[in-house]
């Protein structure tokens, strides 16, 4: 089948690569001409395992092309996916400007009937709103547009695998013909029983509800970890005890410095905002968000507890800038807040990340003399008063901790992900501070 994909970001590019990989012909359009120029040359701005190879392979087979030409993209196929960004607006709702820009462009250029599938995360009701917008815009033309919702659940860092082998695919659709078209499209990728069909509103809500559930699990375990710290209990044991109950499980039950990324923070807030439009106060979602905001300050407060609140003259090495490993995405990364707080308190920071340094630099204030970046994790720690591990990149786990001890001024490690071996570090003479591992805190 032929399909057009609007947006070549994390979701648009992965969707384009994976659909072309299974044999569909894909035209991917982005308004960012520089991005398109690079993509045409096989250069990919974002880091996602296996993505580059897959894009190159399918470009070569001429099943995947990139363009910034609207006419070309819209006329390429009768099946269009919208995968553009829906960031947080100033009031916390989803900013749908890009989605509606795409809708306007299609309405202007359309010459044949189309099916438009919304893959971007949009508040419940958006699909129906777009449906009636097209009915209004096209009322004098003999053309029809049908809208479907197909929210995306991929995880950055595992996006290709998640897209090719999803737990389920959610499709919100109102017409049988559209349902059949999407069944055909996905039949090259997954078996029919993986697809859950429902109405558009329910599909849109399923996406937000899923992200809100995962975010709530994270905030819940973070809250328990904080209580554990006060009590002097051990969150690792508490987690083991809780997670062994099959009703609870272990996933998304890892304490840390708060969830980040381009989805959970904005999606929880957008769902709160949507609920409020009906006069409903979503207390649990608010608590999830509140706990998360506080959790982003947890490592800084642990540092202050040890070093005091005036950090002038001290240097902290920060390993890990992306919001999680295996991605260069730094949106809402807890490292942003930590480093800004350290700098505000007068501390110098030297920062390292295997993939995200360039993205991180763009998100931070320019000309900050207290912040430097290093090319390796070893250079990063030279002369630092403590090491802070913010993201659980596997290369951090296999470090030479004897070398680290000799390079640091004082052997202190803050582990924002509880992924280093606490006992080993203590036996090497480190003071170690994790999250909720209060039993051994010194
Ligand atoms: P992104 O910011 O990485 O990419 C969006 C792309 O859309 C950009 O390249 C931008 O230039 C392009 N764009 C904007 N307006 C356009 C237009 N009018 N025409 C063509 N291209 C346009 O965003 P993303 O992370 O890929 O997310 C896209 C959507 O998918 C969001 O709604 C997000 O919430 C959702 N989502 C993201 C993830 C994730 O892990 N990133 C996972 C699931 C769902």
């Amino acid at each position: 089948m032929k399909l057009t994909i609007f947006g070549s970001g994390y979701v648009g590019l992965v969707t384009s690569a994976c659909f072309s990989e299974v044999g569909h012909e894909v035209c991917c359009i982005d308004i960012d001409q520089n991005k398109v120029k690079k993509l045409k040359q096989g250069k990919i701005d974002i880091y996602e395992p296996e993505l580059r190879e897959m894009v190159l392979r399918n470009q070569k087979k001429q099943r995947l092309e990139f363009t910034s030409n609207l006419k070309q993209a819209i006329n390429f196929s009768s099946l269009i996916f919208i995968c553009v960004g829906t960031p947080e607006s100033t009031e916390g709702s989803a900013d749908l400007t890009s989605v509606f820009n795409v809708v306007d462009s299609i309405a202007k250029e359309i010459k044949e009937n189309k099916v438009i599938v919304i893959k971007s995360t949009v508040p419940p009701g958006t699909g129906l709103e777009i449906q009636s917008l097209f009915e209004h815009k096209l009322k004098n033309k003999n053309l029809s547009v049908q809208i479907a919702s197909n929210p995306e659940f991929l995880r950055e860092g595992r996006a290709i695998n998640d897209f090719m082998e999803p737990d389920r695919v959610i499709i919100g659709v109102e017409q049988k013909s559209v349902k059949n078209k999407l069944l055909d499209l996905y039949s090259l990728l997954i078996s029919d029983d993986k697809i859950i069909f429902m109405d558009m509103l329910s599909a849109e809500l399923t996406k937000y509800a899923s992200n809100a559930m995962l975010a709530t699990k994270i905030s819940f375990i973070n809250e328990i970890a904080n209580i554990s710290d006060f009590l002097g209990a051990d969150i690792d044991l508490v987690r083991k005890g809780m997670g062994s109950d099959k009703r609870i499980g272990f996933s998304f039950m890892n304490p840390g410095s708060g969830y980040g990324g381009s989805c959970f923070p904005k999606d929880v807030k957008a769902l709160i905002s949507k609920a409020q439009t009906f006069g409903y106060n979503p207390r649990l979602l608010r608590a999830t968000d509140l706990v998360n905001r506080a959790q982003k300050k947890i490592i800084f407060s642990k540092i202050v507890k040890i070093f005091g609140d005036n950090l002038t003259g001290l240097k902290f090495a920060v390993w890990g800038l992306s919001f999680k490993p295996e991605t260069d995405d730094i949106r809402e990364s807890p490292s942003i807040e930590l480093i800004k707080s350290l700098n505000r308190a007068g501390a110098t920071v030297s920062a390292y990340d295997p993939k995200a340094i360039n993205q991180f630099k763009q998100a931070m204030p320019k000309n900050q003399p207290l912040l430097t970046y290093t090319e390796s994790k070893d250079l990063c720690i030279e002369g630092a008063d403590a090491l802070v591990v913010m993201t659980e990149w596997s290369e951090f786990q296999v470090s030479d901790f004897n070398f680290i001890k000799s390079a640091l001024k004082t052997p202190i490690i803050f582990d924002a992900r509880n992924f280093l071996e606490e006992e080993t570090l203590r036996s090497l003479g480190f003071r170690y501070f994790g999250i909720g591992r209060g039993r051994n805190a010194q």
Side-chain angles (χ1 to χ4, degrees), residues 20-31:
S20 60
E21 177 77 4
V22 295
H24 296 303
E25 280 178 66
V26 177
C27 175
C28 176
I29 172 166
D30 203 292
I31 41 162

Side-chain angles (χ1 to χ4, degrees), residues 28-44:
C28 176
I29 172 166
D30 203 292
I31 41 162
D32 184 335
Q33 297 194 358
N34 191 33
K35 221 179 206 179
V36 171
K37 194 173 154 200
K38 284 194 196 159
L39 283 166
K40 282 182 171 181
Q41 296 163 354
K43 293 182 190 151
I44 295 172

Side-chain angles (χ1 to χ4, degrees), residues 232-275:
D234 184 340
I235 193 65
D236 295 342
L237 298 174
V238 176
R239 183 181 171 270
K240 189 174 175 194
M242 285 175 70
S244 302
D245 183 331
K246 287 194 187 75
R247 296 170 304 175
I248 299 173
F250 288 100
S251 68
F252 286 78
M253 292 280 281
N254 301 309
S257 53
Y259 57 77
S262 66
C263 293
F264 289 179
K266 80 167 173 69
D267 290 350
V268 169
K269 281 181 248 175
L271 187 53
I272 293 171
S273 170
K274 188 73 199 178

Side-chain angles (χ1 to χ4, degrees), residues 6-13 29-32 35 46 70 83-87 98-99 101-102 105 119-122 151-156 207 211 262-263 266-267 323 329 331:
F6 273 81
S8 69
Y10 288 89
V11 169
L13 196 56
I29 172 166
D30 203 292
I31 41 162
D32 184 335
K35 221 179 206 179
I46 54 180
L70 264 175
C83 303
V84 298
T86 50
S98 297
V99 171
N101 284 344
V102 173
S105 309
K119 210 173 229 324
S120 298
T121 304
V122 294
E152 182 50 58
F153 294 90
L154 62 78
R155 289 164 294 179
E156 285 175 19
K207 171 64 192 175
N211 276 1
S262 66
C263 293
K266 80 167 173 69
D267 290 350
F323 83 96
D329 198 340
R331 290 178 277 189

Side-chain angles (χ1 to χ4, degrees), residues 155-388:
R155 289 164 294 179
E156 285 175 19
R158 300 189 205 173
I160 296 288
N161 186 61
D162 284 350
F163 198 96
M164 299 297 269
E165 289 172 36
D167 289 340
R168 77 327 197 174
V169 166
I170 301 292
I171 297 183
V173 66
E174 311 291 331
Q175 303 89 357
K176 187 110 201 283
S177 59
V178 180
K179 179 179 174 181
N180 289 338
K181 195 165 182 135
L182 293 173
L183 262 176
D184 278 353
L185 176 80
Y186 272 103
S187 65
L188 296 189
L189 198 74
I190 48 167
S191 56
D192 293 1
D193 58 358
K194 286 242 170 160
I195 303 182
I196 305 175
F197 285 102
M198 55 182 78
D199 59 281
M200 263 200 290
L201 275 170
S202 303
E204 290 166 335
L205 182 55
T206 300
K207 171 64 192 175
Y208 279 100
S210 301
N211 276 1
M213 176 75 211
L214 296 172
T216 301
K217 284 186 90 174
I218 296 172
S219 279
F220 181 85
I221 197 68
N222 281 335
E223 185 130 283
I224 300 297
N226 295 341
I227 295 171
S228 172
D229 257 339
F230 281 113
L231 284 171
D234 184 340
I235 193 65
D236 295 342
L237 298 174
V238 176
R239 183 181 171 270
K240 189 174 175 194
M242 285 175 70
S244 302
D245 183 331
K246 287 194 187 75
R247 296 170 304 175
I248 299 173
F250 288 100
S251 68
F252 286 78
M253 292 280 281
N254 301 309
S257 53
Y259 57 77
S262 66
C263 293
F264 289 179
K266 80 167 173 69
D267 290 350
V268 169
K269 281 181 248 175
L271 187 53
I272 293 171
S273 170
K274 188 73 199 178
Q276 281 174 327
T277 62
F278 304 110
Y280 180 75
N281 179 15
R283 294 173 186 83
L284 181 58
L285 299 177
R286 278 185 195 290
T288 295
D289 179 45
L290 266 176
V291 169
N292 195 56
R293 286 177 203 223
Q295 199 67 13
K296 287 196 170 169
K297 303 184 198 315
I298 202 83
I299 287 290
F300 183 68
S301 68
K302 283 174 188 276
I303 289 174
V304 165
K305 223 168 157 185
I306 302 297
F307 290 96
D309 50 15
N310 183 356
L311 303 177
T312 309
L314 297 175
K315 177 179 169 182
F316 292 87
V318 175
W319 280 1
L321 304 175
S322 56
F323 83 96
K324 66 174 182 179
E326 295 303 323
T327 179
D328 58 355
D329 198 340
I330 54 85
R331 290 178 277 189
E332 301 270 350
S333 169
S335 300
I336 297 177
E337 181 150 343
L338 172 74
I339 292 175
K340 284 184 178 169
S341 301
L342 287 169
N343 285 160
R344 267 197 302 271
T348 301
V349 171
S350 91
Y352 169 74
D353 188 281
K355 297 285 176 198
I357 288 180
N358 285 340
Q359 311 267 31
F360 199 80
K361 276 182 184 168
Q362 285 162 31
M364 294 303 275
K366 304 274 169 289
N367 306 320
Q368 168 54 280
L370 295 178
L371 173 59
T372 55
Y373 301 89
T374 61
E375 279 174 15
S376 75
K377 60 180 185 177
D378 289 349
L379 282 173
C380 182
I381 54 174
E382 286 294 333
D385 291 274
L387 168 62
V388 189

